[in-house]
Amino acid sequence: MEIGDKWLESIAHEMTAAHETQTEPKPQRITVRGLLRKYNYSKRGTAISPHIRNKLDELNLRSSPDFETAWFDERITISLIGENVEQQQPDPTHRVSILDAAHRTPVSVSRDDPISVATTKMLFHDYSQLPVIQGAHDVKGIISWKTIGARLSLHRPCKHVYECMETAKKVAKTTPLFDVIGTVADCGYVLVQESDSNSTICGIVTASDLSNEFAKLAGPFLLSGQIEGHLRNLVHCNFSVQEIQTECTRPEGSERKTHQRCG
């Protein structure tokens, strides 16, 4: 961690010196991944994030957007907190933008494409759905195996994309992650646009993407629960309640008993 701390200290020193000479301090721009690499870490976690947070506070620095909730490859700006400026608490909300999938332009089709173009792309990429986009960001709808199957089962025309598409579900990438769970569970996807006012599609989030993210977020808690359960079983197998109470009240430095009951 020493290299990362020294790097932040050098930034703070340069910005403070610039401020004292009444010149504009030059903020430092770096990706979240790059910041963690300064500390020889490859991902955020309880071992490193609090340390970086405390170091930023110590040096009167802030990251914008916050390094803990920004997308891993998003560029954050590290700047000096000005005088008489109240430090805002970081937003702990996990948003759609934290997902890699929200930053990958999705494969799409046009509304007038033959249905064979859509099915070929879905088979080739192993996708369940494709957005239907005209021009740069005019979303016309979504086409999926479900919509195609529904048309065919009803013996409806299904030669072109526009005949088999339906209204697409869209959210801004600043939407809280928990708010899209229901939509993804019902529809299997949600299209991600840059913002409420900018309809450019920047990604598509599927049930698979959410599953991977929640595995990363909840995995450590589940593992710690399993470890706790194994430790409880070991204690239960080897000690009675009376023995545990006796050991807890034994004077410090006295000899402790060790024995094994379970194999």
Side-chain angles (χ1 to χ4, degrees), residues 69-72 95-104 177 180 192 204-206 209-210 212-214 216:
T69 55
W71 175 46
F72 209 56
R95 302 186 183 277
V96 173
S97 57
I98 201 173
L99 300 174
D100 288 338
H103 301 270
R104 292 196 297 262
L177 196 56
V180 306
V192 183
I204 179 171
V205 172
T206 65
D209 298 314
L210 283 185
N212 291 335
E213 184 62 22
F214 280 105
K216 289 192 295 183

Side-chain angles (χ1 to χ4, degrees), residues 22-49:
Q22 297 184 345
T23 57
E24 187 69 25
K26 184 180 180 181
Q28 178 71 42
R29 288 179 59 78
I30 189 172
T31 63
V32 175
R33 188 189 301 274
L35 175 61
L36 293 174
R37 282 177 176 171
K38 296 287 185 182
Y39 285 87
N40 292 322
Y41 274 80
S42 59
K43 60 182 180 179
R44 290 168 286 206
T46 55
I48 185 60
S49 293

Side-chain angles (χ1 to χ4, degrees), residues 129-195:
Q129 61 278 311
L130 293 173
V132 182
I133 302 177
Q134 294 294 120
H137 51 259
D138 185 10
V139 180
K140 297 298 184 181
I142 196 94
I143 186 170
S144 65
W145 293 120
K146 180 180 178 180
T147 61
I148 293 172
R151 296 286 295 186
L152 292 175
S153 66
L154 295 174
H155 304 289
R156 300 283 183 85
C158 192
K159 294 182 178 181
H160 295 89
V161 168
Y162 68 84
E163 295 173 310
C164 302
M165 67 183 191
E166 63 180 4
T167 303
K169 305 295 183 181
K170 298 179 289 183
V171 298
K173 65 180 182 181
T174 54
T175 305
L177 196 56
F178 283 102
D179 290 356
V180 306
I181 294 177
T183 302
V184 174
D186 292 339
C187 305
Y189 78 96
V190 67
L191 294 181
V192 183
Q193 56 190 35
E194 286 292 342
S195 64

Side-chain angles (χ1 to χ4, degrees), residues 4-168:
D5 285 349
K6 288 185 175 180
W7 181 74
L8 286 178
E9 288 169 1
S10 67
I11 292 174
H13 176 75
E14 291 175 4
M15 291 185 180
T16 302
H19 181 73
E20 291 174 350
T21 57
Q22 297 184 345
T23 57
E24 187 69 25
K26 184 180 180 181
Q28 178 71 42
R29 288 179 59 78
I30 189 172
T31 63
V32 175
R33 188 189 301 274
L35 175 61
L36 293 174
R37 282 177 176 171
K38 296 287 185 182
Y39 285 87
N40 292 322
Y41 274 80
S42 59
K43 60 182 180 179
R44 290 168 286 206
T46 55
I48 185 60
S49 293
H51 179 87
I52 296 177
R53 173 79 60 205
N54 292 336
K55 195 64 180 178
L56 289 170
D57 291 343
E58 175 190 329
L59 298 171
N60 205 30
L61 297 174
R62 64 179 173 186
S63 67
S64 179
D66 185 66
F67 76 93
E68 286 196 84
T69 55
W71 175 46
F72 209 56
D73 287 312
E74 183 175 357
R75 285 193 172 274
I76 60 175
T77 300
I78 298 178
S79 57
L80 192 67
I81 301 174
E83 295 181 0
N84 302 322
V85 175
E86 183 180 353
Q87 170 70 307
Q88 293 184 344
Q89 294 300 315
D91 180 9
T93 306
H94 288 278
R95 302 186 183 277
V96 173
S97 57
I98 201 173
L99 300 174
D100 288 338
H103 301 270
R104 292 196 297 262
T105 303
V107 177
S108 63
V109 289
S110 299
R111 67 183 306 278
D112 295 322
D113 281 341
I115 200 68
S116 59
V117 171
T119 55
T120 298
K121 287 185 176 182
M122 285 194 287
L123 286 170
F124 181 79
H125 295 285
D126 194 24
Y127 292 161
S128 298
Q129 61 278 311
L130 293 173
V132 182
I133 302 177
Q134 294 294 120
H137 51 259
D138 185 10
V139 180
K140 297 298 184 181
I142 196 94
I143 186 170
S144 65
W145 293 120
K146 180 180 178 180
T147 61
I148 293 172
R151 296 286 295 186
L152 292 175
S153 66
L154 295 174
H155 304 289
R156 300 283 183 85
C158 192
K159 294 182 178 181
H160 295 89
V161 168
Y162 68 84
E163 295 173 310
C164 302
M165 67 183 191
E166 63 180 4
T167 303

